[in-house]
Amino acid sequence: MTDKAKKLRGRRVVIISNRLPVSIFKENGKIQINPSAGGLATGLASYHQENEGLWIGWPGYNPTTDKEKNILKNRLLNEFNCYPVYLSNIEIKKYYNGFSNNTLWPLFHYFTTRCSYDHSEWEYYQSVNSKFCKALLETVKPDDIIWVHDYQLMLLPEMIRKEIPEATIGFFLHIPFPSMEVFRYLPWRNEILNGVLGADLIGFHTYDYSRHFLSCILRILGKEQNYGQIVAGDRVVKVDTFPMGIDAARFIAGVASEEVNAENDNLMKTMKENKIILSVDRLDFTKGIPERLQAFELFLENHPDWHGKVTYIMLCVPSRDKIQQYRMLKKEVDELVGKINGRFGTPGWSPILYMYRSVPFTTLIGLYSSADLALVTPVRDGMNLVSKEYLACQGQHKNGVLVLSETAGSAAELGEAIIVNPNNVNSMAEAIYQGLTMPEEDKKAALKLMQKRIKRYNVFRWADDFVEQLVNTKENQEKNQQRLLAGRLKQRLFTDYQQANRRLLLLDYDGTLVSFKKKPEQAKPDQELIESLKNLAGDPKNRVVVISGRDRGSLSEWLAGIEVDLVAEHGIWIKERDYPDWESTQKGNPEDWKSNIYPVFEVFAERTPGAFIEEKSFSLVWHYRKSEPELGSLRAKELMDAIRVFLNSTGLQVLLGNKVVEVKPVDINKGKASVHWLEKEEWDFILGMGDDWTDEDIFAVLPEQAWSIKVGFTAFTKAHYYVESQKAARSLLKSLAGISG
Ligand code: GDG
């Protein structure tokens, strides 16, 4: 455990997932509490036991009386550190079998034609998520670290955030996050994304899933990311990759135990000299079971010399059998197994030994340790812990081979396995042959490398890593919070302003005074803004400068009659309030360079739907606000690279602004323009406010004691303070105007 994680010992980790790590059963009228099956429950249970946190979830059983509910609640709390959320039959039908497993599960695994989009199931999904939220509120303590798990509870982070704004919340998705093209099918896509964004840290098994999520956040919610950081209100939310591990030591110790050795001896007696192929999965359409059976059949067909010498033990754990599609899959698998055994079996040999049930842990690791080859070939799988568990159990009795599907999350870490396309039956059949005939040294070498990784990044490292990053993210947020211009800080600004006699206000226009519009010419000031600026500029103690990248014409027209100073085209033109005319800070003829650059801009505009060119007297601007955001930013970067070649020793520069690429003379920037006013007088109050990269030049030239204010949060700025939105910037100016008036 890392030092940082040790420091967290004082804080309790509260895990919330659909299922508890233990399930309640009633057998012959007696209550039994057993460990739950499934990747999340088995993987995290070891971590939970070690940390003595709290786990909130459904125990798989619904007590009928309040008395029974309380008795079981107390037992779960005292014996297992678990807190139950009881779900009614209709809730299980609609929220669990319905929206979770009939909508999100198939959609996130790319089975789009299996998805149902049922409004009443969506309503239950919402109400059950709020039921989990209520359960948390009943038991949460102020310093708890809350860790929400998986696709059944994607609305929960936002719900908790509303109730406890300062809470530390992590969210981890155990299944794949699909690409934008698939995710967008979901009618409630915005709600799901916003739900998850209530967390401070959002984790996925692989980089691809993180990438898909960030792309959806950009293209559906319009939120940009910066190194996996997204601004949600006044919080920076972090998205990152944490490939889940297993409790490797538990498996390794298990293999050495007497109980498992006895199981192995029995198995070996039945199997004689036969090689054992093994697969272990929940019976689910994502696991590629029919395709795998077809591959085994083809292997037997192609390699008759292996008949009677190999047995495929197929362990399928019953799953979601209330759903029609799962019952149909069960029928298909039963028939395929019957067909293959009927076709190749002999009185002394059944090619497939099919178990449709759950087995005890010792039997499971007995199977893992004695199998010569494991077939893990899901069509899609978030991670797949079975592949790691199998490897952990190998090496003591045998050096087994792993045949692994490229679409399992674990394939990203287990590159030494025989990697297959789960839909390519031919290549899977060949992989079985290759695995069974592989030289011992090759098997051993591959196994060693993979085992080393599995032991190192185990489930404890994984969970500590997540929790540590969550706490770091929260600490960073708190630091940022101190820079938010609100409360006492805002009051101090007002007092400073009130007490000053010579005040300078340097204000950006688009994104600061007015919101962004699809067309630049639509950004006219409204009456409220005109009033605020008139009041501010009318105060004899004030000098108000509007510093914009816009052309002279628009600024003169829109701000006519207000006593403000103006800067156009980032400082190419200056108009002081007491003079009627604009003055140029530039010499030379811009047409010379424009004729070279314009055609390049044009080519990129043609290749990028929605992009267009704006020509100003001393600069050229390529806008992509109306383009598809990912294509736009890709093209913007390409355009910058293409332009740079022309700019060598021309005295020009290319800048990436807010959805614009701009070429203009090097010595022009808003900072230089600001200096013009900064040097005019001994100011005793200076405020600079802007939202864009180009406004960073203003912040850079302001003296230390000035109020430099970024509009909208970003982790990377030279400004000392920030306001959360353009609306907040306007409201701040209105308050200052009120003090003036
Ligand atoms: C989800 C994601 C992701 C299976 N049969 C028995 C048994 N198991 C245990 C295995 C393993 C777990 O169940 C299955 O885990 P997987 O990871 O393979 O798959 P899912 O249940 O679909 O889990 C998956 C996982 O969450 C974690 O993030 O990897 O992608 O779909 O631990 O050992 N255990 C016992 N008897 C059995 O018969 N005792």
Side-chain angles (χ1 to χ4, degrees):
M1 184 179 283
T2 60
D3 288 344
K4 180 84 184 191
K6 273 187 201 142
K7 271 200 268 163
L8 303 176
R9 281 263 176 230
R11 290 181 76 178
R12 185 174 69 154
V13 176
V14 179
I15 294 173
I16 314 180
S17 69
N18 173 58
R19 282 302 284 263
L20 284 176
V22 289
S23 300
I24 304 177
F25 299 93
K26 208 166 197 172
E27 231 173 52
N28 304 327
K30 266 195 85 180
I31 287 289
Q32 302 247 29
I33 304 184
N34 291 339
S36 307
L40 191 164
T42 45
L44 258 180
S46 303
Y47 176 80
H48 174 61
Q49 269 165 19
E50 194 177 76
N51 283 278
E52 293 179 7
L54 183 74
W55 193 320
I56 300 174
W58 177 45
Y61 171 77
N62 198 17
T64 41
T65 63
D66 283 348
K67 191 176 162 207
E68 195 187 7
K69 276 184 188 171
N70 280 330
I71 292 173
L72 285 173
K73 189 201 255 180
N74 289 334
R75 255 194 88 183
L76 286 169
L77 259 175
N78 297 334
E79 293 173 33
F80 303 97
N81 287 330
C82 287
Y83 191 86
V85 179
Y86 297 118
L87 299 179
S88 67
N89 288 343
I90 181 80
E91 285 171 336
I92 292 160
K93 183 169 174 224
K94 299 271 190 173
Y95 139 84
Y96 181 66
N97 291 328
F99 196 77
S100 300
N101 289 334
N102 236 346
T103 306
L104 293 181
W105 176 270
L107 184 73
F108 282 29
H109 287 86
Y110 293 75
F111 284 85
T112 50
T113 52
R114 284 180 186 250
C115 297
S116 85
Y117 301 110
D118 179 316
H119 203 273
S120 79
E121 289 177 355
W122 162 243
E123 281 173 352
Y124 270 93
Y125 185 81
Q126 296 171 80
S127 65
V128 172
N129 269 253
S130 54
K131 200 169 183 175
F132 273 82
C133 185
K134 204 166 146 261
L136 173 82
L137 295 175
E138 283 161 12
T139 165
V140 74
K141 293 181 192 155
D143 219 19
D144 283 346
I145 294 166
I146 302 164
W147 191 1
V148 180
H149 289 263
D150 228 359
Y151 64 103
Q152 300 92 347
L153 299 175
M154 296 183 89
L155 301 176
L156 188 54
E158 188 188 21
M159 288 176 175
I160 303 172
R161 179 71 54 208
K162 280 198 182 126
E163 298 294 332
I164 323 171
E166 71 286 358
T168 304
I169 309 172
F171 176 82
F172 189 84
L173 187 72
H174 289 262
I175 64 174
F177 195 92
S179 85
M180 157 72 185
E181 284 308 317
V182 168
F183 182 74
R184 73 196 302 186
Y185 286 135
L186 187 68
W188 306 280
R189 58 199 186 187
N190 290 48
E191 288 86 339
I192 292 286
L193 292 177
N194 282 321
V196 174
L197 278 187
D200 301 302
L201 176 65
I202 302 167
F204 299 93
H205 282 308
T206 73
Y207 173 68
D208 276 342
Y209 308 155
S210 303
R211 193 168 58 81
H212 291 155
F213 178 76
L214 289 170
S215 156
C216 288
I217 291 287
L218 173 66
R219 293 170 67 182
I220 296 171
L221 298 184
K223 287 186 192 294
E224 303 261 359
Q225 60 117 352
N226 207 326
Y227 295 99
Q229 299 184 98
I230 306 158
V231 176
D234 61 348
R235 288 176 309 120
V236 180
V237 177
K238 180 98 206 284
V239 175
D240 213 339
T241 306
F242 304 86
M244 187 175 181
I246 59 165
D247 181 0
R250 179 167 168 251
F251 284 87
I252 294 166
V255 177
S257 72
E258 274 181 27
E259 219 180 334
V260 172
N261 277 325
E263 293 253 7
N264 270 349
D265 290 346
N266 279 339
L267 186 66
M268 286 312 171
K269 268 185 213 143
T270 337
M271 291 293 141
K272 299 186 192 107
E273 294 295 299
N274 275 16
K275 294 275 184 195
I276 301 173
I277 297 178
L278 176 71
S279 71
V280 177
D281 0 52
R282 283 185 304 99
L283 191 80
D284 195 288
F285 54 83
T286 61
K287 303 287 181 182
I289 301 170
E291 293 83 351
R292 191 191 302 155
L293 282 166
Q294 285 160 17
F296 183 62
E297 183 178 18
L298 188 62
F299 161 76
L300 292 177
E301 196 176 299
N302 292 346
H303 300 281
D305 47 322
W306 277 92
H307 291 192
K309 294 180 189 152
V310 61
T311 303
Y312 172 18
I313 302 180
M314 188 169 90
L315 175 60
C316 282
V317 180
S319 178
R320 304 173 195 169
D321 44 13
K322 299 281 177 302
I323 302 177
Q324 169 71 1
Q325 293 180 358
Y326 284 74
R327 288 203 294 265
M328 279 161 59
L329 174 68
K330 162 85 173 43
K331 192 163 170 278
E332 185 186 357
V333 170
D334 287 354
E335 285 172 5
L336 269 170
V337 171
K339 180 181 154 221
I340 299 168
N341 276 345
R343 183 173 167 202
F344 297 102
T346 61
W349 174 61
S350 258
I352 304 173
L353 203 157
Y354 173 33
M355 293 189 272
Y356 177 64
R357 61 165 188 275
S358 180
V359 298
F361 182 67
T362 47
T363 311
L364 180 72
I365 49 179
L367 288 170
Y368 279 151
S369 65
S370 42
D372 298 274
L373 186 145
L375 273 179
V376 181
T377 57
V379 192
R380 285 272 166 192
D381 214 335
M383 168 53 70
N384 192 292
L385 299 178
V386 168
S387 52
K388 296 186 173 182
E389 293 169 4
Y390 170 71
L391 292 169
C393 292
Q394 282 295 311
Q396 298 190 34
H397 302 293
K398 287 182 176 170
N399 295 317
V401 177
L402 174 66
V403 174
L404 180 63
S405 148
E406 63 192 10
T407 37
S410 58
E413 293 164 85
L414 306 175
E416 293 79 9
I418 303 180
I419 303 288
V420 292
N421 173 344
N423 296 310
N424 188 339
V425 172
N426 278 315
S427 85
M428 279 196 287
E430 267 322 288
I432 296 174
Y433 179 73
Q434 189 193 338
L436 290 176
T437 53
M438 197 184 263
E440 215 51 35
E441 317 81 77
D442 294 1
K443 290 202 277 185
K444 206 168 174 177
L447 189 62
K448 273 205 156 164
L449 285 170
M450 293 191 279
Q451 280 182 332
K452 204 170 154 199
R453 245 169 271 147
I454 288 170
K455 281 188 214 162
R456 206 176 45 224
Y457 203 77
N458 60 26
V459 71
F460 302 102
R461 268 288 296 276
W462 169 79
D464 284 343
D465 206 13
F466 185 93
V467 172
E468 185 181 329
Q469 272 221 44
L470 172 56
V471 171
N472 284 347
T473 309
K474 199 71 202 171
E475 277 173 9
N476 285 339
Q477 273 178 17
E478 275 154 16
K479 274 186 213 142
N480 287 326
Q481 204 62 33
Q482 291 164 10
R483 295 170 41 223
L484 175 67
L485 203 53
R488 290 231 296 272
L489 201 56
K490 195 160 155 189
Q491 213 45 57
R492 212 183 84 209
L493 167 78
F494 291 155
T495 314
D496 270 15
Y497 180 86
Q498 229 159 3
Q499 289 173 352
N501 288 316
R502 298 303 310 142
R503 311 178 189 124
L504 174 64
L505 283 79
L506 303 164
L507 306 172
D508 165 51
Y509 188 76
D510 292 87
T512 300
L513 299 182
V514 296
S515 63
F516 282 106
K517 303 284 185 297
K518 288 267 179 207
K519 287 187 187 160
E521 63 274 16
Q522 287 170 343
K524 280 187 184 168
D526 52 79
Q527 205 45 45
E528 186 197 67
L529 176 62
I530 291 173
E531 285 303 314
S532 291
L533 286 176
K534 270 191 176 157
N535 280 339
L536 283 169
D539 186 327
K541 292 177 180 167
N542 288 353
R543 189 97 189 218
V544 180
V545 189
V546 174
I547 306 187
S548 173
R550 283 191 175 270
D551 61 273
R552 285 169 292 166
S554 306
L555 291 179
S556 305
E557 184 196 327
W558 293 346
L559 301 173
I562 310 175
E563 287 288 280
V564 286
D565 296 45
L566 297 173
V567 174
E569 297 187 33
H570 296 108
I572 290 170
W573 298 98
I574 280 178
K575 186 189 162 301
E576 297 207 29
R577 64 180 186 192
D578 306 323
Y579 295 93
D581 298 321
W582 287 88
E583 267 178 48
S584 169
T585 58
Q586 290 293 300
K587 291 170 189 73
N589 182 5
E591 298 315 318
D592 295 346
W593 63 263
K594 275 187 181 171
S595 57
N596 285 332
I597 304 287
Y598 200 95
V600 186
F601 270 34
E602 235 171 2
V603 171
F604 275 79
E606 279 159 8
R607 290 172 56 206
T608 317
F612 62 94
I613 303 165
E614 184 189 3
E615 185 171 351
K616 301 189 214 170
S617 59
F618 277 88
S619 67
L620 278 180
V621 192
W622 189 83
H623 290 259
Y624 64 95
R625 180 164 305 282
K626 288 194 294 178
S627 307
E628 192 286 310
E630 272 169 328
L631 176 69
S633 53
L634 175 74
R635 288 277 190 265
K637 284 186 193 108
E638 287 173 359
L639 174 59
M640 293 196 39
D641 285 344
I643 292 288
R644 276 199 188 100
V645 179
F646 288 93
L647 302 190
N648 282 340
S649 62
T650 54
L652 296 167
Q653 62 179 331
V654 56
L655 289 175
L656 186 63
N658 195 326
K659 305 275 191 254
V660 293
V661 172
E662 179 150 13
V663 174
K664 61 179 194 234
V666 176
D667 55 347
I668 289 301
N669 66 53
K670 289 183 178 179
K672 206 168 164 209
S674 303
V675 171
H676 181 81
W677 278 273
L678 284 167
E679 287 176 348
K680 260 187 195 305
E681 284 187 41
E682 285 287 315
W683 307 103
D684 52 7
F685 177 94
I686 301 170
L687 179 147
M689 185 152 71
D691 69 302
D692 196 341
W693 282 109
T694 59
D695 302 316
E696 291 296 319
D697 292 326
I698 306 180
F699 304 143
V701 297
L702 293 184
E704 189 53 31
Q705 72 281 8
W707 289 88
S708 50
I709 305 167
K710 179 90 179 174
V711 179
F713 178 77
T714 157
F716 309 97
T717 177
K718 293 192 186 101
H720 291 331
Y721 310 100
Y722 75 97
V723 287
E724 62 271 38
S725 61
Q726 186 266 330
K727 228 170 118 188
R730 283 276 293 261
S731 137
L732 182 74
L733 282 185
K734 203 174 164 192
S735 305
L736 291 178
I739 297 173
S740 296

